[in-house]
Amino acid sequence: MSGILTALLKSPNASPEQLAVPFGYQAPFAQKYRTWLVKTGILKSSRHAELTTFGEVIWSNDPKLQNTVTKWFMHHKLTFDQENAEAWHFFVQSFLQKNRTFTKEDLQNQLAMKMMPHSDKHFRKGSPMVSLRCWACI
């Protein structure tokens, strides 16, 4: 993410294709990282290379995003921002509160139920959008 952030701030009008070239990837790679920079509170929008107030502090003090405090803040933004990171917010703020132990299927089923109102096609049971690697499952 720090590489994409650096490239964005150096060339704010660069296309996703141009941003991805130094990493040896295609445009979707850069676009996904831009989205994560928004979800973690560093950029205001995935369309513009405009730092949030927090992003300005990070860029000044930890542009490589390696500091533990930076990582904790990014985690906090990711799990407390219901608008930009709804699935993560649901997982940490709702699901984990009720399910101290769970299976991958438990999480996938409840995540599908939570997200299905957005798009039945993308979030129904078994869809790629709710398939996940479950590091926290028993």
Side-chain angles (χ1 to χ4, degrees), residues 12 24-25 27 36 69:
Y25 291 103
W36 281 107
V69 174

Side-chain angles (χ1 to χ4, degrees), residues 10-11 17 33 40 47 49 56 62 85 94 96-97 123 128 130:
K10 286 182 181 175
S11 303
E17 292 84 5
Y33 277 95
T40 56
R47 293 188 179 146
E56 290 173 10
D62 185 20
S94 182
L96 280 180
Q97 303 301 317
F123 297 107
V130 294

Side-chain angles (χ1 to χ4, degrees), residues 15-29:
S15 69
E17 292 84 5
Q18 292 167 321
L19 292 171
V21 166
F23 304 98
Y25 291 103
Q26 304 279 324
F29 164 83

Side-chain angles (χ1 to χ4, degrees), residues 59-126:
W59 183 248
S60 297
N61 296 290
D62 185 20
K64 293 194 179 209
L65 310 178
Q66 294 177 333
N67 187 290
T68 302
V69 174
T70 300
K71 292 174 186 178
W72 273 111
F73 184 85
M74 291 167 62
H75 171 78
H76 172 80
K77 287 295 289 181
L78 184 64
T79 60
F80 279 82
D81 187 345
Q82 188 171 359
E83 184 177 325
N84 285 319
E86 187 176 2
W88 281 98
H89 179 271
F90 167 75
F91 175 66
V92 171
Q93 300 300 320
S94 182
F95 183 83
L96 280 180
Q97 303 301 317
K98 298 172 188 163
N99 302 280
R100 290 295 178 194
T101 61
F102 55 92
T103 65
K104 181 178 178 178
E105 186 175 76
D106 293 337
L107 177 57
Q108 286 178 316
N109 288 339
Q110 288 192 39
L111 186 59
M113 294 297 289
K114 172 69 176 163
M115 303 304 285
M116 202 176 317
H118 296 292
S119 170
D120 179 54
K121 176 183 173 189
H122 291 110
F123 297 107
R124 71 180 174 275
K125 185 176 178 180

